[in-house]
Amino acid sequence: MPRISNKKIADIFYEIAEYLEMEDVAFKPRAYERAAQVIETMSEEAYDLYKKDGAKAIDAIPGVGKGMTEKIVELFKTGRLKYLQSLKKKFPVKIREITAIEGVGPKMVKTLYKKLKIKNLRDLERAARAKKIAKLPGFAQKTQQNILEGIEFLKKAKGRVPLGHYIELAYAIRDKLKKTPGISHVEVAGSVRRRRATIKDFDLIACSTQPKKLLQKFTSLSEVARVLERGKNRAFVRLKEKIDADLLVLPKDKYGSALLHFTGSRFHNIKLRTMAKERGWTLNEYGIFKGKKLLASKTEEEMYKTLGMDWIPPEIREDRGEIEAALKHKLPKLIPYGSVQGDLQIQTNWTDGANSIEEMVRAAKKLGHKYIAITDHTRTLAMTGGLDEKGLARQAKEIDKINKKNKDFRIIKSAEINILKDGKLDINENGLKKLEIISVAVHSGFSQNERVMTNRIIKAMQNPYVNILFHPTGRILGRRPEYAINIDEIIKAAKKFNVALELDCYPDRMDLKDTNVRKAVAAGVKIVIDTDAHHIDHLKYISLGEAQARRGWAKKSDVINTLPVNKVLAFFKKVRLDKLRKKR
DNA sequence: GCCGTTTTCGGCCCGACTGTTTTCAGTCG
């Protein structure tokens, strides 16, 4: 049975949604999109659910009913989907490839295919260059030009990008707009405000008495490469950094409704609007209305309160139960920003890091950290010059020396120990004993099958010395998928063997992902938030980790390194002693 | 195609902007 990934199922459902959109089918496209989005971001693989509990487990996925369950099961059984094949037969078009162009949707694809037999991006580019597009009914010069420019952009753009590489730019743009006359509010909304691990564009909202002036300033910022849209209260630009930015400007008393609208997520908004509708109200970016009467718009708190619920932190606005919790006044108290007191994964120039231990210490202190763990790679990671037992001992001496010089700061002796293919560690027991925190990670054999990989990691976690599993699923955003592991079993083992799971918040990793954090936390597994810094400039990413922990509904008490250093060390020491005692 | 403290049938979020139009369809968020 082919192991079809969630990503693959989601891609197929998105594709179906576009084909149905093309045929003007009502409502179904959104049903498929909604299901695709849920499957794409859920914590466990649908395939694992199916193997364990059969079709009923698939049917239990929110947004997936009888029809889609059948289709998913067919994919698992045959690796194919007859329904998609029949859609493709009718319109043999690479629809998602073409609709990736900004401003080109399913309806245009249909015309392009019917009139010019355009099936993919290459056909489209050729037709546009030959000036054939402008002659089509409903198309003209401008559309043809937009298509050509859109194709050029697509060639350079990378799709969704890691938040951490762009977040500073988003806020820099916000800050530039702050000084515009007439402005009362300006804020970054959208997936940046929700702190999704990857983003597609920037959504900004502002309130101003002079929207024209503000939009003028926005579209003429030095960061802007091209203006895509510009209306009375909205503009859409393409930045030189190969990412788009959207600005919505409304009057001051609409700040709350505008911010809510532009923060999303889409499905969070849809649920709120449906709730408003059930009461005979309407909800839009201008407020909540009963007929023409305005019920709320000034602040988000007021908006939520009018709907009978508590204010919901943006990080969890994904329609994953937060609305129901807010209605019952039972939202979790999410870990506050600034809670993490020390970073427990840092590489230095002893292996593949760029800076010395002392440089890392200085940078960490500047950030307000009270401690860091030095976690250079170990022996078998040869390309990084991994340390063996002797190397670790030499490094320990160096750490002792620096610790003596720093009274108000503590360096913890640790390592990122390699889990070998059979689940053994590449540092012997004597070496392990000398470390204060023992963290382990997989760095090879990524293609092992799920059973082998899962057992391998669980075997490592059983080792009584092991405290933390680093970047548990191994994903690199946009480059490498998670390795095949059964995250449920990993979480169960983490609980059983008292091993913390890392939320590695280097922007390209963000691993554990939000939905896995939520599962781990629900299972009572402890989390640590680390940057995996290889350079002093990486330490600042810790707030991205806090953001993602919030997205996983984590509380401060779920995260070990919110504790002061003595408690952190005591915690791990106790775990080790308990495990050694049990072993005997 | 999904879903249900009104429901297993009858609903399904809402508005701005563009381009090609003479009142709107398509796209986007």
Side-chain angles (χ1 to χ4, degrees):
Chain A
M1 244 176 25
R3 187 179 211 279
I4 309 279
S5 68
N6 288 356
K7 172 85 170 52
K8 180 77 186 167
I9 298 168
D11 281 344
I12 288 171
F13 279 11
Y14 282 128
E15 198 174 3
I16 291 173
E18 298 213 319
Y19 279 120
L20 294 173
E21 197 96 55
M22 189 159 132
E23 299 194 52
D24 231 0
V25 178
F27 305 113
K28 287 191 194 182
R30 221 182 51 225
Y32 276 102
E33 274 175 37
R34 155 102 177 126
Q37 201 240 7
V38 170
I39 291 165
E40 191 175 31
T41 56
M42 68 189 210
S43 154
E44 55 288 84
E45 285 289 313
Y47 184 81
D48 297 335
L49 295 176
Y50 177 65
K51 260 196 335 194
K52 210 166 74 189
D53 293 319
K56 69 175 198 293
I58 302 299
D59 198 24
I61 299 168
V64 176
K66 194 162 161 278
M68 292 194 204
T69 299
E70 276 171 17
K71 291 180 176 71
I72 292 170
V73 169
E74 182 186 338
L75 276 168
F76 289 155
K77 282 186 173 158
T78 68
R80 275 200 296 258
L81 185 57
K82 285 199 183 109
Y83 181 57
L84 179 65
Q85 286 171 334
S86 70
L87 290 168
K88 276 187 173 169
K89 206 169 176 183
K90 218 189 269 177
F91 294 104
V93 179
K94 289 194 171 165
I95 189 161
R96 294 196 75 203
E97 184 178 297
I98 302 177
T99 56
I101 303 170
E102 187 75 39
V104 178
K107 301 287 164 60
M108 282 195 190
V109 172
K110 188 178 183 180
T111 311
L112 291 166
Y113 173 68
K114 283 200 154 174
K115 300 284 180 187
L116 295 174
K117 293 277 163 257
I118 285 167
K119 292 180 180 170
N120 52 44
L121 217 49
R122 235 183 58 214
D123 294 348
L124 181 59
E125 184 171 9
R126 206 174 292 152
R129 288 201 191 286
K131 304 195 192 331
K132 286 183 190 164
I133 306 289
K135 291 180 187 130
L136 294 174
F139 292 66
Q141 192 59 38
K142 200 80 185 239
T143 309
Q144 179 169 282
Q145 191 55 32
N146 282 346
I147 286 173
L148 279 172
E149 282 173 23
I151 291 173
E152 277 314 299
F153 179 74
L154 267 190
K155 283 179 182 169
K156 293 176 212 148
K158 295 158 240 155
R160 294 195 78 88
V161 291
L163 169 67
H165 296 318
Y166 290 85
I167 189 167
E168 285 181 2
L169 177 61
Y171 285 94
I173 288 173
R174 177 196 68 177
D175 293 343
K176 277 193 175 185
L177 297 176
K178 268 185 180 165
K179 293 154 204 153
T180 318
I183 202 166
S184 60
H185 301 88
V186 56
E187 197 44 87
V188 179
S191 45
V192 176
R193 181 165 181 242
R194 301 201 315 279
R195 300 290 192 268
R196 255 189 89 162
T198 60
I199 57 163
K200 194 164 75 66
D201 49 26
F202 301 157
D203 297 299
L204 294 111
I205 71 125
C207 297
S208 173
T209 52
Q210 299 178 56
K212 208 173 163 188
K213 205 167 251 176
L214 183 56
L215 289 170
Q216 169 61 35
K217 171 140 185 185
F218 177 64
T219 51
S220 55
L221 286 172
S222 61
E223 288 85 354
V224 171
R226 178 171 134 73
V227 179
L228 298 171
E229 255 181 47
R230 188 164 152 196
K232 285 200 299 289
N233 69 351
R234 195 164 183 172
F236 191 31
V237 300
R238 182 150 287 166
L239 302 175
K240 290 173 184 161
E241 292 290 326
K242 310 294 173 211
I243 189 162
D244 295 342
D246 213 341
L247 173 65
L248 176 70
V249 187
L250 291 178
K252 187 178 173 181
D253 61 338
K254 303 292 180 193
Y255 181 62
S257 48
L259 187 59
L260 183 64
H261 166 76
F262 236 29
T263 298
S265 68
R266 191 175 155 218
F267 292 107
H268 180 87
N269 283 350
I270 286 176
K271 186 159 273 183
L272 294 183
R273 286 166 187 203
T274 306
M275 284 180 55
K277 201 168 187 173
E278 280 164 6
R279 301 176 191 198
W281 303 343
T282 52
L283 194 171
N284 57 35
E285 57 264 55
Y286 299 97
I288 301 172
F289 297 89
K290 183 178 183 179
K292 284 191 174 169
K293 192 182 168 214
L294 177 69
L295 300 181
S297 72
K298 284 197 182 70
T299 65
E300 282 190 339
E301 285 81 357
E302 188 194 16
M303 297 285 289
Y304 282 112
K305 197 176 168 197
T306 302
L307 292 170
M309 64 183 89
D310 296 335
W311 178 82
I312 300 175
E315 295 90 337
I316 59 171
R317 295 183 195 170
E318 298 289 346
D319 189 17
R320 291 179 191 153
E322 74 282 5
I323 290 172
E324 292 76 3
L327 281 167
K328 291 184 206 145
H329 310 293
K330 282 191 174 157
L331 282 169
K333 194 168 184 299
L334 303 179
I335 171 178
Y337 286 101
S339 295
V340 170
Q341 297 207 36
D343 199 327
L344 298 182
Q345 187 185 172
I346 286 173
Q347 277 69 230
T348 70
N349 59 7
W350 280 70
T351 56
D352 63 347
N355 295 98
S356 68
I357 298 174
E358 286 198 281
E359 285 166 338
M360 283 300 199
V361 167
R362 272 199 296 277
K365 277 172 132 178
K366 224 175 179 178
L367 214 63
H369 284 339
K370 300 282 188 264
Y371 52 92
I372 56 173
I374 298 299
T375 56
D376 277 299
H377 290 286
T378 51
R379 166 191 289 143
T380 49
L381 215 59
M383 60 179 182
T384 67
L387 304 174
D388 59 8
E389 290 79 1
K390 280 181 187 162
L392 286 171
R394 276 201 312 279
Q395 190 181 55
K397 274 187 193 163
E398 167 90 7
I399 289 175
D400 285 337
K401 234 181 346 186
I402 304 170
N403 266 334
K404 266 182 200 149
K405 284 194 277 183
N406 290 280
K407 291 291 166 230
D408 52 344
F409 193 89
R410 176 71 150 76
I411 310 166
I412 298 168
K413 291 168 205 159
S414 186
E416 179 175 9
I417 296 169
N418 211 7
I419 302 175
L420 300 173
K421 283 185 182 157
D422 58 3
K424 289 186 183 135
L425 306 183
D426 73 343
I427 293 294
N428 65 30
E429 188 166 352
N430 247 335
L432 297 179
K433 276 181 185 165
K434 289 171 186 153
L435 298 171
E436 294 170 290
I437 298 178
I438 286 142
S439 298
V440 298
V442 166
H443 292 103
S444 61
F446 296 133
S447 56
Q448 284 179 335
N449 72 39
E450 184 198 326
R451 190 69 269 141
V452 174
M453 182 64 94
T454 305
N455 287 347
R456 168 188 179 184
I457 294 174
I458 290 174
K459 181 167 177 196
M461 288 198 287
Q462 274 176 312
N463 184 314
Y465 290 92
V466 170
N467 298 127
I468 305 172
L469 176 64
F470 277 171
H471 44 74
T473 72
R475 74 173 184 179
I476 308 282
L477 293 170
R479 259 209 341 257
R480 193 172 76 200
E482 300 177 352
Y483 24 73
I485 58 165
N486 185 320
I487 193 72
D488 285 340
E489 286 187 34
I490 297 292
I491 288 171
K492 214 183 276 173
K495 177 72 186 166
K496 184 171 174 193
F497 302 117
N498 217 340
V499 171
L501 297 181
E502 184 188 48
L503 195 177
D504 183 320
C505 59
Y506 189 76
D508 300 76
R509 287 193 181 269
M510 302 304 285
D511 175 14
L512 294 174
K513 66 179 172 189
D514 50 10
T515 45
N516 283 337
V517 170
R518 191 162 167 192
K519 282 211 111 180
V521 165
V525 169
K526 295 291 180 198
I527 303 291
V528 298
I529 301 174
D530 307 325
T531 62
D532 200 351
H534 283 64
H535 189 282
I536 50 172
D537 290 345
H538 298 164
L539 290 165
K540 67 181 176 200
Y541 294 132
I542 203 79
S543 60
L544 291 178
E546 291 171 338
Q548 181 139 299
R550 289 168 65 84
R551 289 181 59 81
W553 294 46
K555 300 184 296 294
K556 189 173 175 181
S557 57
D558 295 315
V559 181
I560 296 174
N561 50 339
T562 59
L563 295 170
V565 68
N566 55 341
K567 291 206 171 155
V568 171
L569 290 173
F571 176 88
F572 287 123
K573 193 171 178 184
K574 182 174 183 308
V575 167
R576 184 191 300 191
L577 292 175
D578 286 350
K579 278 163 90 173
L580 282 169
R581 203 175 305 127
K582 264 189 208 160
K583 204 185 166 198
R584 277 190 213 112

